[in-house]
Structure formats: structure tokens, C-alpha cells
């Protein structure tokens, strides 16, 4: 419940989150995965002088998504709110 409240508040306040309203299917999924990558990068940065196990874990998560992401850009999946260019 706390998470839901936080999500609602974040969605209300954040222009970025607002831009993603209506994203669904593969577009939503890859946006969520990229956001997880962003959080993983932050966790790594925050542990550079801290817990190496966290860095290893988060690096593995980024690697896993890197290996999967090519399957998340089927042709034509760049309609709004996606910001993916047709070239991708
Ligand atoms: C560690 C590496 C990466 C990180 C941390 C990262 C992070 C992100 C984030 C935070 C977004 C915004 C997601 C959103 O709209 O909420 C994004 C979008 C995107 N990224 Fe990445 N990314 C990474 C690697 C890549 C790579 C290697 C590619 C292409 C080969 C790529 C292509 C894209 C594209 C095309 C979008 C737009 C998706 C859409 O709007 O439909 N990213 N990424």
C-alpha cells in the first residue's frame, strides 16, 4: 500500500512518469526494465567504496537485461509514449 501511494505521488509529481502514462505491453515492459537498470546503476555508484556483493549483483542484473533487450524492440513498437527512434 505504501508502495502504491508512493507510486501515485511520484506519477503525479514527475513529468517523466507522466509521459509514460498509457505505455503498455512490450513498451511498458522495456521502460520498466530500463528504469530497473537505472536503479541498478545508482546502487553500484552508491557502493563504490561499500559492498562489492551489491555491485556484483546489480551488474548481473544489468547484464541479464542487456542480453534480453534486443527482443523487446519489435518493429513498430515506437508509438507514444515510447521515445525510441524508428532506427532502433
Ligand atoms: C546500462 C545501460 C543502460 C541504462 C542504465 C539505460 C537506461 C535507460 C533508461 C532509464 C531509459 C528510459 C526508460 C523510460 O522511458 O522510462 C532508457 C530508454 C531507452 N534505452 Fe536504455 N539504458 C541502457 C542501455 C541501452 C542500450 C545498450 C540501448 C540500445 C542498444 C538502449 C536503448 C534505449 C531506448 C531505445 C530507449 C527508449 C525506449 C522507449 O522509449 O521505448 N539503452 N534507457
Amino acid at each position: 500500500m505504501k508502495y502504491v501511494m508512493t507510486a501515485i505521488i511520484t506519477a503525479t509529481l514527475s513529468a517523466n512518469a507522466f509521459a509514460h502514462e498509457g505505455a503498455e505491453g512490450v513498451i511498458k515492459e522495456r521502460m520498466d526494465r530500463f528504469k530497473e537498470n537505472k536503479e541498478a546503476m545508482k546502487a553500484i555508484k552508491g557502493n563504490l567504496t561499500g559492498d562489492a556483493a551489491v555491485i556484483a549483483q546489480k551488474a548481473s542484473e544489468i547484464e541479464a537485461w542487456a542480453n534480453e533487450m534486443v527482443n523487446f524492440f519489435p518493429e513498430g513498437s515506437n508509438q507514444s509514449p515510447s521515445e525510441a527512434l524508428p532506427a532502433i
Side-chain angles (χ1 to χ4, degrees):
M1 188 58 197
K2 194 174 166 197
Y3 173 78
V4 173
M5 293 297 288
T6 308
I8 290 169
I9 292 165
T10 306
T12 308
L13 296 180
S14 160
N16 186 42
F18 184 75
H20 294 160
E21 245 180 35
E24 51 188 34
V26 73
I27 295 178
K28 178 172 185 348
E29 204 168 335
R30 75 187 181 219
M31 284 177 163
D32 290 345
R33 296 292 295 273
F34 275 120
K35 273 192 215 135
E36 283 170 30
N37 257 17
K38 192 169 132 185
E39 295 310 312
M41 290 294 289
K42 276 191 209 158
I44 289 172
K45 194 177 169 202
N47 276 283
L48 288 180
T49 56
D51 191 344
V54 172
I55 295 176
Q57 170 61 32
K58 295 298 167 186
S60 297
E61 288 172 23
I62 291 171
E63 181 188 24
W65 169 233
N67 286 322
E68 286 175 59
M69 72 164 75
V70 293
N71 303 319
F72 283 75
F73 289 92
E75 201 153 333
S77 66
N78 62 337
Q79 63 272 42
S80 178
S82 173
E83 293 171 43
L85 298 176
I88 200 76

